[in-house]
Amino acid sequence: MAVKAVHVSDIPNLYQISESSFPIYTARFSSGVDAGTKKKNENDDLKFLVIGHRGNGMNMLQSSDQRMKAIKENSILSFNAAGEYPVDFVEFDVQVTKDGCPIVFHDDVILSQENGTIYERRVTDLTLSEFLGYGPQRESINLNGKSLLRKTKDGRILNWDVESDDSLCILRDVFTTVKNPDLGFNIELKFDDHIVYKQEDLIHSLQSTLKVVFEQAGERPVIFSTFQPDAALLMRKLQTTYPVYFLTNGGTEIYYDVRRNSLEEAMKVCEEGGLQGIVSEVRGVFRNPAAVVKIKNSGLSLLTYGKLNNVPEAVYLQHLMGVEGVIVDLVREITEAVSKMIKHPQPLEKGGEGEDDEDDGVLEVKGKPQFSERELSFLLKLIPELIQL
């Protein structure tokens, strides 16, 4: 495995992202299985999950990396593109419109330009018809609705131009039009960090989403996740069919709500609310590797997200640490790397080189790839360097 030079400025940075008392098994995510009572059996295979972020990867319009502008994120086109690779899930963001329809969109606001003036509206203040009026229209590939702009983290406003565009979509469409029936859905329940939500508003949004999931999911694997602690706890109370994960920055950012400020606080949320796992920003895990052991000992699952998940060596390091899956933007590259490093280890010859010893008949298997001295040095230095990022 060759180590490639990676410019940090070109590695996608997630804006924010997007459960059970046992490790992750694919069967656990089937519908109709109570995540709180499903038990591991001897035939279950532990899976290292690869999850496509917003489908085949998020859009970073300011990036020089054309892969980050290849396919419109959070679109049917992107989900189907990801499904052509050996990903286990696609992650996408769900919000609920003013008239109660769950839609797929990441940002809290939607921007458009008309007669030289930029207009900004909160997504959840739109009706469904207003939301679907932005961008390419499904009725005709030659018909465009209102222009679609996007604000970058540094405040720039850019046209939302990608190589392969697609119309905005609703949650029901994702269930009915994604081609791969085995592709799992990691549904991030999206809420604005700057709003204090009333419980009834959270329940309305969650129930609207659940209605679609229960009507459409069938046997498709589904996970719920959210940064909103109260929403996570409520989702677990409203249903026990699907795992609920708590999303956290793992201490890489500080919020007024202390439950969001560390892996230890995330564990408390999960344990007190009966949630099944944590999805942490990967740097939070690298900065606090001891927390991984605590999380696993508590019976919680651990997934990660973040720009470093697009670096194969960082992904493999997490596998060694006990992380059970990664959310990635470079779906093709990371699924290939995981297949080589983790899923398909090479068998060693029995009895040593050139020998045919009659030992216990067990074939030894290489559990990890062979690294050169330079690559090993890189891996050993990786964690302390990442902590400084």
Side-chain angles (χ1 to χ4, degrees), residues 29-32 92 94 102 171-176 185-189 205-224 235 239 241-243:
F29 298 116
S30 297
S31 67
F92 53 88
V94 169
L171 179 59
R172 186 177 300 273
D173 290 343
V174 181
F175 279 105
T176 58
F185 291 167
N186 176 2
I187 300 174
E188 182 184 338
L189 306 163
S205 177
L206 298 178
Q207 287 181 330
S208 299
T209 301
L210 277 173
K211 184 176 186 297
V212 175
V213 173
F214 279 119
E215 289 175 353
Q216 301 294 329
E219 295 300 313
R220 189 182 294 277
V222 173
I223 307 171
F224 290 116
M235 179 56 90
Q239 61 85 45
T241 302
Y242 301 105

Side-chain angles (χ1 to χ4, degrees), residues 48-322:
F48 184 82
L49 301 181
V50 179
I51 302 170
H53 183 221
R54 305 184 201 170
N56 199 50
M58 70 178 290
N59 295 150
M60 285 191 67
L61 305 177
Q62 72 276 26
S63 175
S64 60
D65 189 337
Q66 291 301 311
R67 294 173 297 181
M68 308 312 299
K69 295 176 280 190
I71 304 175
K72 173 70 73 62
E73 68 175 41
N74 276 335
S75 69
I76 303 298
L77 185 64
S78 186
F79 303 145
N80 281 327
E84 294 179 0
Y85 300 102
V87 291
D88 302 283
F89 285 78
V90 285
E91 179 272 349
F92 53 88
D93 308 279
V94 169
Q95 305 183 58
V96 175
T97 61
K98 183 179 180 180
D99 50 351
C101 182
I103 59 172
V104 180
F105 196 76
H106 174 271
D107 301 352
D108 297 318
V109 298
I110 194 165
L111 288 84
S112 185
Q113 186 173 28
E114 186 176 346
N115 298 324
T117 302
I118 295 176
Y119 295 90
E120 179 179 296
R121 295 189 66 184
R122 184 169 297 281
V123 174
T124 52
D125 287 341
L126 300 172
T127 64
L128 175 60
S129 62
E130 288 173 331
F131 172 74
L132 295 177
Y134 291 88
Q137 300 299 288
R138 183 154 299 179
E139 291 79 10
S140 170
I141 58 174
N142 297 317
L143 177 65
N144 284 307
K146 295 181 179 179
S147 63
L148 198 54
L149 311 177
R150 195 174 210 184
K151 184 181 292 185
T152 65
K153 292 195 76 173
D154 60 9
R156 287 181 290 165
I157 297 178
L158 305 174
N159 289 322
W160 202 327
D161 293 329
V162 292
E163 184 178 329
S164 298
D165 210 344
D166 197 10
S167 60
L168 301 180
C169 65
I170 65 176
L171 179 59
R172 186 177 300 273
D173 290 343
V174 181
F175 279 105
T176 58
T177 57
V178 168
K179 298 174 182 177
N180 184 347
D182 299 319
L183 182 64
F185 291 167
N186 176 2
I187 300 174
E188 182 184 338
L189 306 163
K190 198 80 170 62
F191 297 95
D192 192 328
D193 289 339
H194 302 99
I195 293 179
V196 177
Y197 290 92
K198 296 179 181 179
Q199 180 170 291
E200 55 264 36
D201 295 329
L202 292 175
I203 290 175
H204 168 71
S205 177
L206 298 178
Q207 287 181 330
S208 299
T209 301
L210 277 173
K211 184 176 186 297
V212 175
V213 173
F214 279 119
E215 289 175 353
Q216 301 294 329
E219 295 300 313
R220 189 182 294 277
V222 173
I223 307 171
F224 290 116
S225 62
T226 183
F227 281 103
Q228 224 289 350
D230 296 322
L233 298 173
L234 282 170
M235 179 56 90
R236 184 59 179 156
K237 290 180 180 179
L238 289 171
Q239 61 85 45
T240 58
T241 302
Y242 301 105
V244 182
Y245 279 54
F246 182 49
L247 276 157
T248 177
N249 293 93
T252 59
E253 294 182 47
I254 300 301
Y255 296 88
Y256 177 78
D257 190 332
V258 296
R259 294 174 294 179
R260 299 186 59 182
N261 289 340
S262 69
L263 287 171
E264 288 76 12
E265 289 294 333
M267 284 180 60
K268 290 180 185 178
V269 172
C270 292
E271 291 173 337
E272 292 171 5
L275 308 187
Q276 283 74 43
I278 295 170
V279 186
S280 173
E281 214 286 347
V282 59
R283 289 176 301 161
V285 169
F286 282 141
R287 291 176 180 181
N288 188 6
V292 177
V293 177
K294 295 178 182 177
I295 290 169
K296 295 180 72 64
N297 287 344
S298 70
L300 296 169
S301 297
L302 177 62
L303 308 175
T304 67
Y305 73 91
K307 62 184 180 180
L308 290 170
N309 281 351
N310 296 304
V311 180
E313 291 82 4
V315 170
Y316 184 68
L317 206 54
Q318 291 176 74
H319 170 64
L320 296 180
M321 294 171 68

